Amino acid sequence: MPTLRIALAQVNPTVGDVSGNAAIVRQRSRAAADAGAQLVAFPEMMLTGYPVEDLVFRNSFVTASRAALDQLAADLVTDGLGDLPVLVGYLDSDGPASANAEASPTHGPRNALAVLHGGRVAARYFKHHLPNYGVFDEDRYFVPGDVLPVVRIGGVDVALTICEDLWQAGGPFAVARRAEVGLVVNINGSPYELNKDDVRLPLVRRRAAEAGATIAYVNMVGGQDELVFDGDSMIVSPDGTLLSRAPQFVEHLLLHDLELPAASTRTPAGTEPAHPAPADGPDGMSVTRVHLSDPLPAPVGAPVTGGITEPVVDEGEVWQALVLGLRDYVDKNGFRSVVLGLSGGIDSAVVAAIAVDALGPQRVVGVSMPSQHSSEHSREDAAELAKRTGLDFRVEPIQPMVDSYLANLSLSGMSVENLQARVRGVLLMALSNQEGHLVLTTGNKSELAVGYSTLYGDSVGGFNPLKDVWKSLVWKLANWRNAEAVRSGGTPPIPENSIRKPPSAELSPGQLDSDTLPDYSVLDAILVGYVDGDQGRDDLVGAGHDPEVVDRVLRMVDVAEYKRRQSAPGPKISIKAFGRDRRLPITNRWRERR
Amino acid sequence: MPTLRIALAQVNPTVGDVSGNAAIVRQRSRAAADAGAQLVAFPEMMLTGYPVEDLVFRNSFVTASRAALDQLAADLVTDGLGDLPVLVGYLDSDGPASANAEASPTHGPRNALAVLHGGRVAARYFKHHLPNYGVFDEDRYFVPGDVLPVVRIGGVDVALTICEDLWQAGGPFAVARRAEVGLVVNINGSPYELNKDDVRLPLVRRRAAEAGATIAYVNMVGGQDELVFDGDSMIVSPDGTLLSRAPQFVEHLLLHDLELPAASTRTPAGTEPAHPAPADGPDGMSVTRVHLSDPLPAPVGAPVTGGITEPVVDEGEVWQALVLGLRDYVDKNGFRSVVLGLSGGIDSAVVAAIAVDALGPQRVVGVSMPSQHSSEHSREDAAELAKRTGLDFRVEPIQPMVDSYLANLSLSGMSVENLQARVRGVLLMALSNQEGHLVLTTGNKSELAVGYSTLYGDSVGGFNPLKDVWKSLVWKLANWRNAEAVRSGGTPPIPENSIRKPPSAELSPGQLDSDTLPDYSVLDAILVGYVDGDQGRDDLVGAGHDPEVVDRVLRMVDVAEYKRRQSAPGPKISIKAFGRDRRLPITNRWRERR
């Protein structure tokens, strides 16, 4: 059996930064070659970043991706890497893009994978299964491919697949079995979700069994707006054995020696032009065979193994996702620093700790904005957090501004509570305008769901690390992070008092969250079913929740939605006289202008 | 040839208000029967409203739609309407909904049409072509149907289709020709876009030719968040003659007598159970035939014709769309009133006029919030607008609040300009909290695109009638509305001075838009290509725009996007630890709680 040393490049591309992404491919290909790799694979849509959304419809962008691919093939030769097969994801197109009903079912934009070799594109694959659920909208953007390339590398037949191809039975992996391949490479842009790593391994095992071949799975890493790609690249043998697994949330070059079956003598070691097999495979796919190289000399020295990284606990996984997501949002968008309000409470303390882990304390500004209702311990807890983390700490009392509104308007009750939060929002925005910081918001998912926050007040900001984190998990994250600090001999960043004290908005005398909300453990359990899930009232009651509490919580969610309608559901509602707005990535380095 | 008097009910359902929507069907069916109609058709998803988005995944909602359909069939009998075939859109399901890769390709939620007759569902059709472009995401939500029901009504064979079925060649209309039907009914939830009425008629003509049959097209009317359904229901003969056309933007019961070919003796007037034809038609659809009634006595008296409404000019069409969209957002969400800032400029004047047309002057509060930079004429123009329209007018000077911030913070330049706009935002929100108004935003599409506005300042609000309206069109709308007033002997609502004077934000001394922006006619032409279209820099230059101006405008758009990233792209970015947020309609009457 030939031995192939493969390299999986778990790297962090940036959407729109085509030349920067190509540079990453050159650097990592060099490193792979220096380590003796005979094949290196990069993630899905490596050259463009992922997802590019409506940039697909911009011809200038598609053209740039295709040109960058050709340039990259040439540059790899210049780098002395012409003999190394480099597998790289990119955006291609073999027909006009269309955002309407006239779309062609057979030609258009493609989610593509190229094998670069000898200064040219030796093989291309167009993604077959296009996901159109959850965070994915690929039916809008891409036309599916129906040809599976089998590329002979070092005497081993290697099939090429992309991401979703792995998540559905049938299709490319079944065709790969018929084509008797020795290895299937699967390149990914697979976003993190809690416990998704527990789903991937069994899935890769099922496909390895379906294909009867080893699977090399490479995923990108990094933040892209609301998505975080977690890596978790791995290699699994046909019998389901996990041979190697990369760590999550960090860039990594996974190198591993694989003994793989020599290409069958029955299958033609075809030379170019590649000849497609008849379209009689499962799911109507045909096979194109491309010959790159006969068996290569075995790698010298002791066998190289990539090792197996063990999964971390849930809190550690979420913490790393939040840190990486914030860091990439800040850095990829070119912000130098962030600013947030520090109330002394648990939410802003956890956001500050995440920001310091992501950016370092010099790039984080924390502002204490006490009012007449702020307790002494709140001011102290905010100062204590600043001391422990070393962030840039300021104090800006809000009472003079609040009083100027109250002197000029007739306000009472909730309006006065909201006014205080809005004065804080105006203060943070003034600091952002004056000094250039990105404003961080700190509301957790539980309080946002039930409307326990002030629109244009504590909701002001461009990025909220906790927006998808339930309050119960916020506490767990705080405890986990502090324990990690103790374990590594450091200072726990979050003051114990911020974790232990009963939560309060401190917008009126003696106010506590528990005056208004059920206990967070009860609240969160109901919200998880209603907001994250698709459970109705009867499902929730059937699951054992108190019917009165269920109705109370559902009423709070409904009222919160009403209040958001009244002032801002986010992007302002308008009437579409000109069709749908373009959906473009927020973090996006693509620039048309010169 | 039998004569059939058909009724097309162009009505305004509300998303989630299943019982209210069923009540509309009963009322309009009564009216149709009283007028002698022998068939009445209601829009797509009539019982649930459209679009319902992720409510599709909530079993309680699907169950409610199906139950409401059965109840409606029974209620129509109670109403003495059991003999009238009532065609109504609703949400059905014949399998579990799924938001992931495991979705079944053949069973699941259905965009459905039922024929109610004799107290039961006599036939069901499941939409075949599912749109997944522009504002549509139906591939996420529905499974396509592949059976075309042909229902014999009064001796005429009638085929049932839904919306997108009309927009693609092949499919149901080709099958309808093979089935030799006399009439195709097409029920719609087709949103308004500028000039869309010019596209629909040729399209209906092409399908009439393809089916070789008369087409009866019925569309809903009304606002749903960013969509406005404009009606424009029509009837077209097989040779392409427009027989009748309803007005846009208003509810309407279109009644028309049609002479239609008697059902062929070759086609079986099948009795139930319906027997499907072999699946050998175009696009793999089969046909189910259902017999409801043999030829009926011809309608008595003179033939009834629905008349042909002529299209209106573009400005009139857009104005009506904006008025209807705002009115339905306000009324369907239960708001009593709206509040907006009146600067004396054109944008807020046009928004105020739209609001008064939509709601009447008693429900509109206009607030003049002068600062030290507000000119005398601006204050006067705002007061003049209030006088002409009769809205509730208030004056709240902002200088005391602005001064209290300036006394406590070190701010300069743009930060001070933004501060004034944000104090106005806080004032409007305080009034909203205190008095319950919906806050209207008044920024036009041109200034939003280039970032000529203040986040959390003039961008505060829950609904912006001008968000999708370019500045050039704002002026045209103002002139059109004033001319309409003159034409009908009323008072032009918008002061001529607000239309004529050079636009200014009045945030610093002597400031004019033209200090910062190119002439709006130049700016808008570039933005239309870049923001609405998919044109790149070279396309724009190729279209004749000055390269320097193109680069300057593109830079402004890029910087505006950067600023939005810094403080708020809308819904705050977060890291999806729990998968995609549910996409739910904003305007939605569905309530789970008791």
Side-chain angles (χ1 to χ4, degrees), chain B residues 228-257:
Chain B
V228 170
F229 301 95
D230 59 330
D232 194 27
S233 302
M234 67 182 91
I235 302 171
V236 170
S237 69
D239 67 359
T241 307
L242 178 63
L243 301 177
S244 187
R245 189 171 199 169
Q248 287 176 285
F249 304 109
V250 291
E251 290 194 295
H252 189 78
L253 187 68
L254 190 150
L255 283 154
H256 199 86
D257 286 351

Side-chain angles (χ1 to χ4, degrees), chain B residues 63-359:
Chain B
T63 302
S65 170
R66 290 168 54 97
L69 185 76
D70 292 338
Q71 184 63 47
L72 176 60
D75 288 342
L76 287 167
V77 173
T78 307
D79 293 345
L81 299 169
D83 289 341
L84 177 68
V86 175
L87 280 59
V88 59
Y90 72 107
L91 169 63
D92 204 338
S93 182
D94 59 1
S98 172
N100 62 39
E102 264 72 62
S104 159
T106 53
H107 289 82
R110 306 283 194 167
N111 183 331
L113 187 170
V115 179
L116 303 182
H117 187 259
R120 60 188 190 84
V121 179
R124 285 177 212 264
Y125 169 66
F126 297 151
K127 189 175 185 178
H128 181 67
H129 287 308
L130 300 174
N132 202 59
Y133 56 86
V135 302
F136 305 107
D137 282 301
E138 294 201 8
D139 277 348
R140 278 185 177 271
Y141 297 127
F142 301 115
V143 175
D146 57 3
V147 180
L148 182 73
V150 172
V151 184
R152 189 159 298 177
I153 299 174
V156 176
D157 278 345
V158 180
L160 310 179
T161 65
I162 303 178
C163 202
E164 183 73 9
D165 291 332
L166 186 86
W167 290 76
Q168 301 186 29
F173 286 79
V175 178
R177 168 179 283 274
R178 194 179 62 102
E180 298 179 21
V181 306
L183 176 68
V184 183
V185 175
N186 182 251
I187 68 170
N188 289 264
S190 175
Y192 170 72
E193 269 178 42
L194 190 56
N195 301 325
K196 195 165 185 181
D197 51 343
D198 301 337
V199 178
R200 280 195 196 112
L201 178 55
L203 191 71
V204 176
R205 286 182 164 136
R206 284 206 294 280
R207 283 310 153 261
E210 185 175 5
T214 299
I215 311 287
Y217 171 103
V218 59
N219 190 18
M220 63 176 63
V221 71
Q224 171 60 33
D225 300 342
E226 301 207 300
L227 305 180
V228 170
F229 301 95
D230 59 330
D232 194 27
S233 302
M234 67 182 91
I235 302 171
V236 170
S237 69
D239 67 359
T241 307
L242 178 63
L243 301 177
S244 187
R245 189 171 199 169
Q248 287 176 285
F249 304 109
V250 291
E251 290 194 295
H252 189 78
L253 187 68
L254 190 150
L255 283 154
H256 199 86
D257 286 351
L258 285 172
E259 279 193 58
L260 295 168
S264 159
T265 51
R266 284 179 295 118
T267 55
T271 51
E272 295 171 75
H275 45 98
D280 59 353
D283 217 354
M285 294 187 80
S286 61
V287 172
T288 302
R289 295 188 181 270
V290 177
H291 183 91
L292 283 197
S293 50
D294 288 321
L296 301 163
V300 284
V304 166
T305 170
I308 296 177
T309 307
E310 293 301 323
V312 299
V313 296
D314 284 356
E315 290 86 348
E317 206 177 86
V318 172
W319 189 273
Q320 288 177 280
L322 300 178
V323 167
L324 178 58
L326 174 60
R327 182 191 300 134
D328 275 358
Y329 190 80
V330 170
D331 287 342
K332 290 182 179 181
N333 283 307
F335 295 114
R336 283 166 302 136
S337 52
V338 299
V339 65
L340 75 158
L342 294 181
S343 69
I346 180 76
D347 297 328
S348 58
V350 167
V351 170
I354 290 168
V356 169
D357 280 1
L359 307 168

Side-chain angles (χ1 to χ4, degrees), chain A residues 475-545:
Chain A
W475 275 303
K476 283 187 197 162
L477 290 174
N479 284 320
W480 175 86
R481 180 64 185 79
N482 275 2
E484 276 292 295
V486 170
R487 209 172 53 82
S488 63
T491 308
I494 301 157
E496 287 68 25
N497 199 38
S498 294
I499 302 178
R500 274 199 313 266
K501 68 185 172 189
S504 164
E506 296 196 333
L507 292 172
S508 63
Q511 187 179 39
L512 290 177
D513 290 16
S514 54
D515 301 341
T516 310
L517 306 177
D519 186 84
Y520 278 110
S521 63
V522 173
L523 178 66
D524 284 358
I526 294 171
L527 290 175
V528 165
Y530 188 59
V531 175
D532 275 350
D534 294 304
Q535 291 190 291
R537 191 232 183 228
D538 295 344
D539 302 317
L540 291 163
V541 171
H545 296 293

